[in-house]
Amino acid sequence: PHPTRPETSLSSLRGLCAAAMGSRQGEAGTALHVLEQYIAGEVAEANALPQLLHCFHRDQRLVLAALSEKTNSVVANAIVSSAAAQTGALLVHVAKFIDERAAEEGDGQPQKAGVKSVSRSLLDHVLLLCGGKNRAAKEVAVRSQGCALVAALAASAPDHATARDKLVEFSADRVPSIRETAVRGLGSLNQSPPVELAIVDRCGDPFAAVRTSAVRSARVTAATAPALLKRLDDVEACVRAQVYHTLAKQPQTVREFGPAGLARLIVGLLDRSGQVRQGAGLAVDAWRKHVFDGSAVQLLTCCDVASDEALGDAVAGALARRFAREGADLAQRIFSGARAPLGEQGPAMDGLHMALFVRHAIAAMSDEDRDEAVDVPVLLARATQALGEASGRQHGALILRQLLHIVVSVDLTDEASRRRAERLAEAVLMRAPVDHQSSASILAGGGGMQYTTAELGILILRKCAGLGRGFQARTSKHQALEAQCSTRAVLLVSDLCQPLQGGNQPSPDEEQDDNEGHFATRLSFRLQELNDAIEERKQHKTVLAEQKKKAIANEEFIQAQRLKEASKKNESELAALTKEQVALQAERDSILLRVLSILKALLKWSHSDLQKDPAQSGTLDQILRPVVSLPALSDEVEIATISAICLFCSRDAESARGHWCLLLELLRSLRQDDLPSQPAAKRRHSRARAVIAARTLSDCALVHGSRGALDREEIISSAHALAAVPFPSRHIVVESLCSWFLGLGHIFFEEHLREPILEVQWALGWMLVEAFKQHGFADADDDGEDIAATSKAAASSAKVARARGVSWVTRPPPELPAEPEEAADDEEEDSAQAMATASRLMQFFNLLPKLPGKHSSPMLSLAVESIAESGLWRRAVLLPQTVGGKTRWLRGFSWPQLFRFAHERLSAELRFRLWRSSLQVCVADPELATFAEVPFALAENVKDAPPGAADLLREAVALGADAAALHPLLARIPPAQREAPPPQGSMHLLPREEAKAGEQERRMVLADQGVDIDMWSPAEVPVPDFLPPGLRLKMSKGGAAPKKRAGANAENNGPIVPPSAWPAVNAQPAQQPEDAKEVKQEPKRRRCFGKTKDSEQHRLPLRNIR
């Protein structure tokens, strides 16, 4: 333009700007048009994506604007989930395609300011649509679509902090699908503490799909390894399998789990699910190849196989079977004489792991391969060498047991090998380290050694005598061989008893005791004298300390000095006595434990008839009974002696009848010894004795009772003792009771028909309650855990306070536990033990109605009736507990689940008995029955109501039951059953006073039989002042909820009317003020942003998405 004509320059500039804006709008329209056609399917992907890439090269902001506009439409129309989700996926695909191609082509054009990549920019836009931090849409569909877009785009920006925070927020959403999507998105982000914490939290999600996605997204670190290990115990096989698939992709992180965790991972090769075994195989192969240089032995070396011998055997066996060729080659090198002694070329742990692996590899071979790989003389030489090193070498006893296992499995083909093996067996019984079970291992019920050293020695001795481990017919020849083997073992025992008679010259009385077989009497009496002397010195020490303190207070320093010297003298005497006591007790217990271990091994593996085997039967009177009567007996020796006597009882009926009172007394002693006031060590010891006695009573009743050696009174007495255990000790008799009922339930039922046996019926009741104890991923209202009274006690001893083994009645005290030992003892009964017990009991009650005979189904009905008639149903009452400042509704078990379980498995006649028991509870205590959800349980099963249920409902309402809760059930009963008469001979409901009197009488009878029923369930439970929200919702759906009172927040502020007063309240309309009647209540205002007429941002129609 001409400089002297400014108007011409201005008009030309406006024209250029208009042309540029028109061109820009045209390009933007082209990008949006191509995107719409691609989403609608009108243009193929091969044509649409290059066009969008071309538009991106020309102007990046135009493509981003088009994508943002379509993203707005997707989020706005998220209610149409299928179309919106598909469109969102296409938009994410477009953004990723443009970023990938732009990076490959090396776009030379400089990017616009603020635009780094399409995916990252689109992610920022989506985060704005999602509401920002700590803000989210109310609609589930909008949140779900936003979470899906953020999770899909987060992979392109793994360091995006805002996206990380939003996904962490989404991972705590109440909708499971949103949590699952968020966890998948977190897996694509860079590792950080918030991401790890969110993934760890979701690994324990109640929904299996969320847990599976969390495990898939986890990166193995020190923070996530414990959560992944915990998922190995998941009930869903898909979650367990995903753990191994995740680890197979990250083989280098296997060392994060440590030796114990690695052993638990490898044992997944033996999982009950095929997909878990397949995933575990992939992970183990990856570890062996990438981490352990292709050696299974090195993989096993990194596992902890010494702490839990059963787990170590399982791990080594799984690896030996998977890598059989490597095990065969290693066994051939070791036992062909071509290698140095076992373990010398590596550390001591290497010797143990190699011995385990080789033992299982040899066990997995065929007989021909085993004979070819193992040279018996070399094997016996190595076993003899291991026996000499067993005491002075780390894990020497474990290595010796592996070699003895191999000796038992090979064939002794020549006389020389047989004689060498026999000498080895005798040396093992005489000199090998003694293995004995502690009280803790007995209470655990597993995880201990499968074969002790003495048992392996006895097995080798029997093998040399021509006796095998399997069943053999009891011929005269076989009995002669059994008697010969028993005599050989008893002679070894007599040789062991000789050293106890050495030392100082015994007195004539002591010599007479020794000749009668009381070989440890002299040492035991000396120990008793030492114990009395030590106790006297301790008391004297306390007296001297008090006198010295008093003398110093009175300024009598000369007397204080004398007392000080006397105290020093007393201390020296106490130290000398204690030293002598320790040495003497070690000498006596070592011999006694070895003798008892040999006898237990002989009784366990011998098939001899005790009546025709004087050597074996004579040990009961000559050794075991004298040992039990010894003074100053240690806990280990007492447990071993009781175990040996119980083995005698299981094999011989006369021995069982002779020791029947002893076994019953061991169980009944729990009432005094297993009290919270007793020391933890004493409680563990008494429980261990009771476990042995319970198993023996059940076995003897099954074995000898079926042969007629025990009468019915003795059989029932065993069930009495098992049923009347205290509440803290209930888990130790569960397996014994299950065995007794499965084998002898018909005897109980027949006797119960003649005269009710309330104690045994009580046992069925509390076992059924334990089966439905709340565990696993239960809702807050369904949780039966016990909570501490104060938050301080709950925080300091959370595991103790939440333990399921604690009584439902006796809540933990607010103060801290006084003795750490007692707290540790309470921790033994944790939720894992309760879940395992409940699982076993659920299997039992599932099997019980399927047993042959007429007694099976009625026993399940008797269990439910026992719960209702003894007051045990009160454990199902929902009670409020304050935890962390919040109110939680807790209960011991779920009555609706228990009732539905029994209702589905019983006939119509027995269902009538269930309805009668439930309605009797509603009559006796209508308010507590509502909090126990007894009416709700009836409503759930009303379609399958038995004939006569309608009459029972009318009678219950007439006797004072909650009419508002029960009357609607009449209309829901099927017409065919509504007017049907009840079964013949059925009993009617009792009035409230008679029902309460009957329950009190039943509780008194059980108390007379030794059942502390108040520890199981109290006779009175206070009725809560308000209903739990979940129960109110259920009752409102059923039409039984009270009417809401007028006024703002009146429902939450005022007390809730008790259920018994609902009919009266509903009959009288609430009186309202005059002003309140005149004022018309306005409808509740709702959030309407983006939905009103006047809003400028209208929701786009579905067709605008495309």
Side-chain angles (χ1 to χ4, degrees):
H2 199 275
T4 59
R5 301 178 63 181
E7 65 279 1
T8 304
S9 301
L10 183 59
S11 61
S12 301
L13 183 59
R14 288 176 179 175
L16 291 174
C17 291
M21 292 180 63
S23 175
R24 185 180 183 86
Q25 292 177 358
E27 294 176 358
T30 301
L32 184 60
H33 180 66
V34 172
L35 188 59
E36 290 177 347
Q37 289 182 332
Y38 169 60
I39 294 175
E42 299 176 359
V43 179
E45 180 178 341
N47 296 329
L49 294 183
Q51 294 182 32
L52 292 173
L53 181 62
H54 177 72
C55 296
F56 175 77
H57 288 326
R58 299 193 62 181
D59 196 335
Q60 300 176 358
R61 295 184 179 273
L62 298 180
V63 176
L64 183 60
L67 290 173
S68 301
E69 183 176 350
K70 301 310 296 181
T71 303
N72 295 342
S73 301
V74 167
V75 176
N77 293 273
I79 193 65
V80 189
S81 57
S82 58
Q86 182 180 4
T87 305
L90 292 176
L91 293 176
V92 173
H93 179 61
V94 169
K96 291 184 177 180
F97 173 81
I98 294 176
D99 288 339
E100 292 174 359
R101 292 300 299 272
E104 292 176 0
E105 296 175 0
D107 189 4
Q109 298 181 0
Q111 293 183 347
K112 303 297 182 180
V115 179
K116 297 181 180 179
S117 69
V118 177
S119 299
R120 193 178 187 92
S121 302
L122 186 60
L123 177 60
D124 293 334
H125 183 72
V126 172
L127 290 172
L128 292 177
L129 296 178
C130 291
K133 188 175 182 180
N134 298 328
R135 298 184 63 184
K138 181 180 180 180
E139 292 81 2
V140 175
V142 177
R143 293 202 311 274
S144 179
Q145 185 60 57
C147 180
L149 291 173
V150 174
L153 294 170
S156 302
D159 57 342
H160 202 294
T162 307
R164 178 199 64 199
D165 296 339
K166 194 63 182 178
L167 287 176
V168 170
E169 178 184 342
F170 277 131
S171 67
D173 196 275
R174 60 184 177 87
V175 180
S177 59
I178 297 179
R179 298 200 299 269
E180 180 185 4
T181 306
V183 167
R184 290 182 179 180
L186 289 173
S188 60
L189 296 177
N190 292 338
Q191 200 68 12
S192 61
V195 173
E196 289 184 349
L197 183 60
I199 291 177
V200 168
D201 289 341
R202 290 309 99 208
C203 283
D205 195 88
F207 291 86
V210 182
R211 298 198 301 273
T212 305
S213 298
V215 171
R216 183 189 299 113
S217 302
R219 293 187 181 93
V220 182
T221 60
T224 58
L228 293 177
L229 275 180
K230 190 175 182 180
R231 288 305 98 211
L232 295 179
D233 298 328
D234 199 282
V235 295
E236 297 293 338
C238 60
V239 181
R240 302 197 302 272
Q242 186 57 52
V243 172
Y244 291 104
H245 288 295
T246 300
L247 297 179
K249 298 176 182 178
Q250 310 173 45
Q252 302 297 334
T253 60
V254 66
R255 300 187 186 274
E256 294 288 345
F257 295 94
L262 184 56
R264 289 191 59 196
L265 289 170
I266 295 177
V267 85
L269 293 170
L270 307 177
D271 194 89
R272 61 184 179 273
S273 174
Q275 60 176 332
V276 179
R277 294 195 299 270
Q278 183 180 5
L282 295 175
V284 170
D285 292 343
W287 297 333
R288 178 174 176 264
K289 178 180 179 181
H290 298 288
V291 182
F292 299 101
D293 301 329
S295 174
V297 177
Q298 293 186 16
L299 175 59
L300 183 62
T301 304
C302 294
C303 299
D304 181 12
V305 297
S307 300
D308 191 338
E309 188 172 344
L311 178 62
D313 280 344
V315 171
L319 291 178
R321 284 188 292 272
R322 187 167 187 85
F323 309 106
R325 187 59 187 171
E326 180 181 349
D329 295 341
L330 186 59
Q332 190 170 7
R333 290 199 305 269
I334 291 177
F335 295 112
S336 62
R339 180 177 168 166
L342 185 62
E344 287 189 1
Q345 294 185 357
M349 289 297 292
D350 178 63
L352 171 61
H353 293 84
M354 188 177 296
L356 266 174
F357 186 76
V358 171
R359 167 206 157 188
H360 286 281
I362 293 176
M365 296 179 184
S366 61
D367 294 339
E368 295 79 6
D369 295 339
R370 188 182 301 115
D371 294 339
E372 182 180 354
V374 179
D375 187 3
V376 175
V378 175
L379 171 63
L380 295 176
R382 290 182 180 276
T384 305
Q385 179 185 358
L387 174 62
E389 300 174 353
S391 300
R393 180 181 180 183
Q394 186 180 13
H395 304 298
L398 294 178
I399 296 176
L400 174 62
R401 280 205 293 272
Q402 311 315 314
L403 294 175
L404 294 179
H405 272 287
I406 302 175
V407 174
V408 173
S409 63
V410 299
D411 294 331
L412 304 177
T413 56
D414 58 284
E415 183 65 18
S417 299
R418 189 192 67 80
R419 291 181 179 179
R420 291 186 61 184
E422 190 175 17
R423 290 196 297 269
L424 173 64
E426 294 177 357
V428 167
L429 294 176
M430 298 292 289
R431 297 190 286 112
V434 180
D435 307 314
H436 62 276
Q437 281 187 304
S438 62
S439 300
S441 62
I442 294 175
L443 292 175
M449 64 190 70
Q450 298 178 346
Y451 295 88
T452 63
T453 308
E455 290 179 9
L456 292 171
I458 291 292
L459 288 175
I460 297 175
L461 199 63
R462 290 174 57 83
K463 188 181 185 68
C464 295
L467 298 171
R469 287 185 290 177
F471 173 78
Q472 295 180 2
R474 289 189 175 182
T475 61
S476 58
K477 180 180 179 181
H478 176 265
Q479 178 60 38
L481 293 176
E482 290 282 0
Q484 182 181 359
C485 183
S486 301
T487 303
R488 190 68 178 272
V490 173
L491 288 175
L492 293 175
V493 170
S494 63
D495 293 340
L496 287 171
C497 300
Q498 295 300 323
L500 292 180
Q501 300 178 9
N504 298 328
Q505 186 67 23
S507 64
D509 295 337
E510 293 174 347
E511 185 176 359
Q512 182 180 359
D513 290 338
D514 292 339
N515 294 333
E516 293 178 356
H518 301 243
F519 51 85
T521 303
R522 180 167 49 85
L523 294 179
S524 299
F525 276 112
R526 177 57 183 161
L527 270 176
Q528 184 65 39
E529 294 175 0
L530 290 174
N531 292 338
D532 296 340
I534 289 174
E535 185 64 26
E536 182 182 353
R537 298 301 189 280
K538 289 182 178 179
Q539 295 178 1
H540 188 52
K541 177 182 178 181
T542 304
V543 173
L544 290 176
E546 293 177 355
Q547 293 179 355
K548 178 182 176 182
K549 184 177 180 181
K550 184 178 180 180
I552 294 175
N554 296 333
E555 297 183 355
E556 298 177 357
F557 299 109
I558 298 178
Q559 181 67 17
Q561 181 64 25
R562 294 174 181 173
L563 292 173
K564 181 179 179 180
E565 294 175 356
S567 179
K568 289 182 178 180
K569 181 180 179 181
N570 183 76
E571 286 287 348
S572 61
E573 294 177 356
L574 181 61
L577 291 173
T578 304
K579 183 178 180 180
E580 184 181 358
Q581 178 205 31
V582 172
L584 197 60
Q585 184 169 352
E587 178 187 358
R588 186 200 64 173
D589 288 358
S590 63
I591 301 297
L592 287 179
L593 289 175
R594 184 178 298 277
V595 169
L596 293 172
S597 64
I598 294 174
L599 293 180
K600 287 194 299 180
L602 182 62
L603 290 167
K604 182 176 181 180
W605 293 103
S606 175
H607 299 161
S608 176
D609 186 358
L610 293 182
Q611 302 298 330
K612 302 178 182 180
D613 194 344
Q616 190 172 166
S617 60
T619 57
L620 178 62
D621 295 327
Q622 298 176 6
I623 297 178
L624 297 181
R625 286 176 178 171
V627 169
V628 171
S629 61
L630 289 177
L633 206 61
S634 61
D635 293 346
E636 292 81 4
V637 175
E638 183 180 1
I639 290 294
T641 309
I642 292 175
S643 300
I645 294 176
C646 289
L647 285 173
F648 258 106
C649 297
S650 300
R651 293 193 54 190
D652 183 51
E654 292 299 328
S655 300
R657 300 189 70 167
H659 295 86
W660 201 253
C661 295
L662 172 64
L663 298 176
L664 296 179
E665 184 61 29
L666 289 177
L667 270 176
R668 293 167 182 166
S669 63
L670 287 174
R671 302 171 189 173
Q672 291 80 28
D673 297 339
D674 196 14
L675 298 177
S677 58
Q678 297 293 338
K682 184 177 181 180
R683 295 181 65 185
R684 281 195 297 268
H685 179 62
S686 62
R687 287 186 183 184
R689 295 186 310 178
V691 167
I692 299 172
R695 294 172 182 172
T696 306
L697 284 173
S698 178
D699 294 342
C700 291
L702 289 170
V703 176
H704 306 315
S706 60
R707 300 174 182 174
L710 296 177
D711 55 22
R712 289 201 167 192
E713 183 179 355
E714 291 172 329
I715 294 175
I716 295 296
S717 66
S718 63
H720 285 179
L722 294 172
V725 294
F727 179 84
S729 311
R730 65 197 182 282
H731 64 278
I732 68 177
V733 298
V734 166
E735 293 185 1
S736 302
L737 278 172
C738 291
S739 301
W740 194 96
F741 280 116
L742 291 177
L744 303 170
H746 62 283
I747 296 180
F748 157 69
F749 186 66
E750 293 171 4
E751 296 295 328
H752 186 77
L753 291 180
R754 297 189 182 97
E755 183 180 357
I757 307 177
L758 299 183
E759 304 92 330
V760 184
Q761 186 184 2
W762 158 259
L764 281 172
W766 69 255
M767 288 168 65
L768 187 59
V769 167
E770 290 296 316
F772 286 90
K773 203 169 186 180
Q774 299 298 297
H775 60 275
F777 298 107
D779 190 59
D781 289 348
D782 296 334
D783 198 351
E785 297 176 353
D786 295 306
I787 309 300
T790 60
S791 58
K792 180 179 179 180
S796 60
S797 57
K799 188 172 182 180
V800 181
R802 298 176 63 87
R804 295 185 182 272
V806 184
S807 172
W808 176 82
V809 181
T810 308
R811 300 293 176 181
E815 63 271 6
L816 297 178
E819 296 186 14
E821 290 185 352
E822 295 184 5
D825 184 64
D826 291 337
E827 291 179 4
E828 294 177 2
E829 303 180 77
D830 55 1
S831 60
Q833 184 186 59
M835 292 175 63
T837 302
S839 177
R840 288 194 295 267
L841 288 173
M842 187 62 68
Q843 294 175 2
F844 166 74
F845 283 107
N846 271 315
L847 180 61
L848 185 62
K850 303 175 184 178
L851 295 177
K854 298 182 179 180
H855 67 284
S856 54
S857 296
M859 287 176 63
L860 180 58
S861 176
L862 287 175
V864 181
E865 294 175 25
S866 174
I867 298 172
E869 295 173 4
S870 63
L872 197 55
W873 64 271
R874 292 187 180 90
R875 291 189 62 187
V877 175
L878 287 164
L879 297 176
Q881 295 288 335
T882 302
V883 182
K886 298 181 180 180
T887 301
R888 297 184 63 196
W889 291 85
L890 310 177
R891 62 186 176 189
F893 71 98
S894 173
W895 177 270
Q897 294 180 11
L898 184 149
F899 187 86
R900 181 171 60 252
F901 175 85
H903 202 269
E904 294 173 350
R905 289 161 175 79
L906 297 180
S907 60
E909 183 178 358
L910 294 177
R911 287 178 181 177
F912 181 84
R913 298 177 66 93
L914 294 186
W915 279 68
R916 181 189 174 280
S917 300
S918 300
L919 291 174
Q920 188 66 72
V921 170
C922 296
V923 171
D925 203 335
E927 296 182 351
L928 273 185
T930 302
F931 283 89
E933 298 184 304
V934 178
F936 178 72
L938 296 174
E940 278 188 329
N941 301 272
V942 71
K943 293 183 179 180
D944 299 326
D951 295 342
L952 282 177
L953 285 171
R954 299 187 189 99
E955 185 179 2
V957 173
L959 291 175
D962 188 1
L966 298 180
H967 189 72
L969 299 181
L970 288 172
R972 298 173 58 186
I973 296 179
Q977 303 176 8
R978 192 176 305 164
E979 303 300 332
Q984 296 182 357
S986 59
M987 299 176 59
H988 294 282
L989 298 176
L990 299 176
R992 182 173 302 172
E993 297 301 328
E994 293 184 16
K996 290 185 176 180
E999 178 186 333
Q1000 186 65 25
E1001 181 181 359
R1002 191 184 187 99
R1003 295 173 69 95
M1004 292 177 61
V1005 172
L1006 291 175
D1008 293 339
Q1009 296 297 328
V1011 178
D1012 189 3
I1013 194 170
D1014 290 333
M1015 277 290 292
W1016 293 83
S1017 179
E1020 298 292 338
V1021 174
V1023 181
D1025 296 332
F1026 54 96
L1027 288 171
L1031 186 57
R1032 287 182 58 84
L1033 180 61
K1034 293 178 182 178
M1035 301 185 69
S1036 63
K1037 291 181 179 179
K1043 293 183 179 180
K1044 297 180 180 180
R1045 296 183 295 275
N1049 297 329
E1051 179 182 354
N1052 297 329
N1053 295 333
I1056 293 178
V1057 181
S1060 59
W1062 289 352
V1065 174
N1066 295 339
Q1068 300 178 2
Q1071 298 181 2
Q1072 299 180 355
E1074 298 295 335
D1075 298 340
K1077 295 181 180 178
E1078 297 177 359
V1079 178
K1080 182 178 180 180
Q1081 294 185 357
E1082 297 183 358
K1084 183 179 179 180
R1085 299 186 64 183
R1086 304 180 63 183
R1087 296 171 60 184
C1088 54
F1089 178 77
K1091 302 179 184 178
T1092 58
K1093 291 182 180 180
D1094 300 332
S1095 177
E1096 298 180 358
Q1097 300 182 1
H1098 298 282
R1099 173 174 292 220
L1100 299 178
L1102 182 60
R1103 57 184 175 83
N1104 287 346
I1105 296 180
R1106 297 190 166 95

